[in-house]
Amino acid sequence: DTLPYQDFDLQDDWTWDSENHDKLVKIEWETFKHIIPTYPDRNGDLRISYKTMITRGCPHKCSYCGVAFNHDLYKGQRYLRRRSVEHMIGEIKQIMRRYPEIGIIHFQDDVFFSTSTEEIVKFAEEWKKEIGMPFRAQCSPATINEEKYAALIDAGLCFTELGIQTGSSETMRMYKRGMTNEQLLKAVNIISKYKDYIQVPDYHFILDNPWESTEDVMKGLRLVCTLPPPYNLLPSSLIFYPGTEFYHKALEDGFVSDEYKEVYRASFHAPRGNYLNFLFFLALFNNMPKGVVQMLGSESMVRRFNQKKYDRMWGRLYQAGEKARYVKQFASFATKGKLLEITSMREHSRVANQMK
């Protein structure tokens, strides 16, 4: 609380000229409001967002995440810190006075739910009374409970994202996540219970783990097939971020031959082309019969098609499917009358999957 609020007065802020690409231009609100991301509220109306955090740090120390490196960097110090509710409310009031067009708050805390139930309830009560604006937040299966979630829904929570990452207990231990599939499903069921009050939640999943067996990956797929819709599955490729435990392990085990290409330039959002990843892609579609995915994931089908000689084909099918999904999302925006609210293709990609 001793630190000042974010500097958002734009008095001496400059950015690269996006039109001429030859100079810096001073940022004015009329320009800046078209740069700030927009997100849908409960009704699907896109609102200009303001991003902030009430906590710094993360309660977890996952082996694939750079946060674990930060834990070690500040060893002996209190890594997870939280502002008071009063301080947070003061910041939002200031930003509302300065920029009344802001209509949604995006909390970018690693795990917004990491504090106690009592503190979350206090936040929800003060937010509803003093702010009354919709907001977005991220949770983890180990920190969510229904009392917290219900209080935040009542206060205006309109979107949640959750890290599932794997359905294998062996991989979970490897990731040092410290949670079970029962906790994962309990968290998902809490979110699903309030689906009428939020946009489609994001569930994150990690693929391309070289230390996972085929059976470990299939356990994850079988878990996905039990998730209650609607949800937006976000499969991502495991990247060996420098300084993480997995980075050093990958170097030792010979999984990195070109560090620049395979670490620094690797695409987090583009899983590799192979049969197992293609099955996860099919699971993205909530209306895809889970029985079809499970049949394609049978032992005989996996043994037949999960071979390197087919990887390029599955990768191309994945890419073609993503393009088809993109077109479908574009058409969905048009039929909902939201197309003119989208100011860029990047913005379309960001919000399309989250809107009902």
Side-chain angles (χ1 to χ4, degrees), residues 22 81 189 243 282 343:
D22 61 352
R81 293 143 293 156
N189 286 330
L282 293 180
T343 59

Side-chain angles (χ1 to χ4, degrees), residues 73-282:
L73 191 63
Y74 296 99
K75 189 172 293 183
Q77 302 180 49
R78 188 160 64 98
Y79 180 68
L80 179 61
R81 293 143 293 156
R82 185 177 184 87
R83 289 197 275 166
S84 68
V85 171
E86 293 77 13
H87 193 266
M88 180 77 261
I89 296 295
E91 177 185 342
I92 303 303
K93 283 184 173 181
Q94 181 188 84
I95 210 70
M96 289 170 67
R97 287 192 299 268
R98 186 173 290 164
Y99 306 114
E101 290 176 84
I102 286 177
I104 191 168
I105 305 301
H106 184 184
F107 287 108
Q108 290 195 293
D109 306 61
D110 288 324
V111 183
F112 184 85
F113 287 66
S114 60
T115 192
S116 67
T117 300
E118 292 73 22
E119 190 73 7
I120 289 287
V121 170
K122 177 183 177 182
F123 167 86
E125 291 173 348
E126 290 299 312
W127 186 272
K128 185 177 180 180
K129 180 174 64 176
E130 301 289 341
I131 306 298
M133 192 183 297
F135 61 95
R136 303 158 54 91
Q138 181 169 299
C139 63
S140 71
T143 59
I144 187 175
N145 63 45
E146 186 163 357
E147 188 175 353
K148 288 181 181 180
Y149 203 76
L152 293 175
I153 287 288
D154 185 56
L157 179 67
C158 64
F159 172 79
T160 309
E161 55 183 313
L162 176 77
I164 295 179
Q165 316 306 9
T166 180
S168 162
S169 57
E170 292 81 5
T171 304
M172 192 72 77
R173 284 193 291 272
M174 186 191 307
Y175 289 164
K176 298 183 177 177
R177 294 276 287 165
M179 56 194 74
T180 65
N181 280 2
E182 288 71 26
Q183 285 177 295
L184 293 174
L185 290 173
K186 184 177 180 180
V188 168
N189 286 330
I190 290 172
I191 294 171
S192 180
K193 180 177 178 179
Y194 296 90
K195 62 184 179 182
D196 292 339
Y197 300 93
I198 60 171
Q199 290 296 336
V200 179
D202 282 348
Y203 297 150
H204 296 266
F205 221 96
I206 296 175
L207 301 177
D208 299 328
N209 180 342
W211 299 285
E212 269 195 313
S213 67
T214 298
E215 177 56 24
D216 285 330
V217 179
M218 293 310 298
K219 286 177 181 177
L221 185 65
R222 289 192 283 270
L223 175 68
V224 169
C225 288
T226 68
L227 301 180
Y231 59 82
N232 178 40
L233 189 66
L234 293 179
S236 302
S237 188
L238 177 64
I239 305 298
F240 309 125
Y241 291 116
T244 63
E245 180 180 326
F246 276 6
Y247 170 77
H248 298 293
K249 182 174 174 59
L251 292 179
E252 292 173 3
D253 293 349
F255 289 125
V256 177
S257 56
D258 184 339
E259 188 167 340
Y260 177 77
K261 180 180 178 181
E262 298 170 8
V263 176
Y264 295 100
R265 301 299 295 172
S267 177
F268 173 79
H269 296 292
R272 297 170 190 164
N274 61 53
Y275 185 66
L276 299 184
N277 288 357
F278 182 71
L279 294 180
F280 274 90
F281 171 71
L282 293 180

Side-chain angles (χ1 to χ4, degrees), residues 275-276 279 292-307 310 314:
Y275 185 66
L276 299 184
L279 294 180
V292 173
V293 178
Q294 291 170 333
M295 182 272 292
L296 293 173
S298 65
E299 185 177 347
S300 60
M301 295 292 282
V302 171
R303 188 168 55 249
R304 174 71 178 85
F305 292 111
N306 188 38
Q307 301 182 45
Y310 297 130
W314 298 122

